[in-house]
Amino acid sequence: MTYIVVEACIKCKMTDCVEVCPVDCFYEGENMLVIHPDECIDCGVCEPECPVDAIKPDTDDGLEDWLELNRKYAEAWPNITRQKEHPADCDEWRDVKDKKQYFSPEPGEG
Ligand code: SF4
Ligand code: F3S
């Protein structure tokens, strides 16, 4: 198994998660992060750090597409290991549903 980042991260991108990862396997897109499934050691310490509950074990039902998205973009986006300021509008997005339509494939700054 692995942990992955799912829809709730889109446009929230609070980056609290990256500080605790012992193997630095988070990667930054323009408006969300992903986890590299082959680098994650399944320690689980990042899961409770996310304020919007966007980190899930891939063993949860229905996350196959998100596992593939994490794998694809972890190969394309820059590594991120230090927390950044929360986006100014992140609280406005935390309860929005169906955020996948807002997903950006563009890389973040890392
Ligand atoms: Fe990093 Fe552990 Fe989270 Fe995997 S489960 S992304 S190794 S903190
Ligand atoms: Fe995203 Fe949560 Fe990390 S919003 S950037 S998974 S702390």
Side-chain angles (χ1 to χ4, degrees):
M1 66 157 296
T2 179
Y3 284 79
I4 54 175
V5 185
V6 301
E7 179 170 320
C9 183
I10 294 172
K11 286 188 168 281
C12 285
K13 200 173 125 175
M14 293 166 130
T15 67
D16 298 46
C17 52
V18 304
E19 287 283 338
V20 300
C21 181
V23 295
D24 294 341
C25 64
F26 283 90
Y27 294 82
E28 185 184 10
E30 184 178 27
N31 65 17
M32 77 173 289
L33 304 190
V34 291
I35 290 169
H36 196 309
D38 297 337
E39 296 175 0
C40 173
I41 59 171
D42 310 338
C43 69
V45 299
C46 59
E47 186 182 21
E49 294 297 319
C50 177
V52 297
D53 203 20
I55 298 174
K56 304 287 185 188
D58 75 327
T59 46
D60 282 7
D61 286 344
L63 296 183
E64 293 82 4
D65 288 354
W66 288 101
L67 174 61
E68 285 316 302
L69 186 148
N70 275 246
R71 185 181 299 283
K72 177 178 178 179
Y73 289 99
E75 299 283 353
W77 290 347
N79 191 232
I80 175 171
T81 60
R82 288 282 167 234
Q83 183 171 13
K84 299 181 175 181
E85 282 189 28
H86 290 175
D89 61 350
C90 61
D91 283 334
E92 295 168 28
W93 286 97
R94 62 189 299 155
D95 295 321
V96 175
K97 305 296 180 203
D98 299 325
K99 289 199 287 185
K100 197 168 185 184
Q101 59 188 309
Y102 303 111
F103 170 78
S104 169
E106 298 300 319
E109 295 170 353

